[in-house]
């Protein structure tokens, strides 16, 4: 391949990515649905079921009750704050739950798509396409340098805490079956009880 052909091919790929991003940013979804751009694909998800929201609510309650410092949580349905998506280039992802220490004021004045800086933890609870959470979103969060990713896998009845992001994955993986506790390190500093996730 000549230098000219390689340049033309790279320009065509950039233009394709730009067109996809523009289409994504102008997409309108029905109320309750959410659209994300993950690994070069636009993904539209329906509203979650009650058990999904039950698990998120239990996690939020424990974070507020047991964390060593005040935390702000943003869930996609506005459980605590309005949902905010993460801009983790080239991905635009909406975690089920985003947690930041209160002091930095990360959510204050944040745009709909915010950078990952200051985020302490993201949480996903699997839904109809669990591999998106198990693989694609795990990679996106690691690439963004988010220090902790908590995956609640309802099909496998497990909770996995991913830590120490390195390039496009996490170096530390702490799995636990539903019913077992999961140690959340600083800035949380408590054991997450998963007893009522079943």
């Amino acid at each position: 391949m000549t230098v000219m052909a390689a340049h033309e091919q790279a320009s065509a790929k950039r233009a394709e990515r730009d067109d996809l991003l523009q289409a994504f940013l102008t997409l309108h979804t029905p109320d309750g649905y959410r659209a994300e751009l993950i690994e070069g694909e636009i993904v539209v998800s329906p509203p979650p079921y009650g058990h999904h929201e039950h698990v998120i609510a239990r996690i939020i309650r424990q974070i507020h009750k047991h964390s060593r410092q005040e935390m702000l949580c943003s869930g996609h349905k506005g459980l605590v704050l309005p949902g905010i998506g993460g801009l983790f280039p080239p991905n635009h992802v909406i975690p089920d739950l985003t947690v930041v220490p209160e002091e930095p004021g990360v959510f204050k004045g944040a745009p709909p798509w915010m950078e990952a800086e200051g985020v302490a933890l993201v949480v996903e609870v699997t839904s109809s396409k669990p591999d998106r959470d198990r693989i694609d979103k795990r990679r996106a969060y690691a690439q963004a340098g988010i220090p902790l990713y908590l995956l609640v896998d309802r099909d496998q009845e497990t909770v996995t805490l991913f830590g120490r992001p390195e390039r496009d994955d996490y170096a530390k993986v702490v799995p636990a079956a539903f019913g077992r506790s999961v140690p959340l390190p600083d800035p949380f500093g408590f054991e997450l009880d998963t007893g009522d996730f079943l």
Side-chain angles (χ1 to χ4, degrees), residues 75-93:
H76 73 273
K77 284 192 73 181
L79 293 168
V80 177
L81 293 174
I84 293 178
L87 174 58
F88 315 138
N91 300 295
H92 288 66
V93 180

Side-chain angles (χ1 to χ4, degrees), residues 58-73 97 99-102 120-121 148 182-192:
R58 295 293 186 228
I59 293 170
I60 290 172
R61 184 174 296 135
Q62 290 184 60
I63 287 172
H64 285 296
K65 183 177 180 182
H66 300 295
S67 289
R68 292 185 180 155
Q69 68 184 87
E70 290 294 313
M71 295 287 173
L72 292 175
C73 303
L97 184 65
V99 184
V100 299
E102 188 173 32
L121 168 75
L148 297 170
V182 178
L184 293 182
D186 285 337
F188 303 97
F190 73 94
E191 300 256 332
L192 180 72

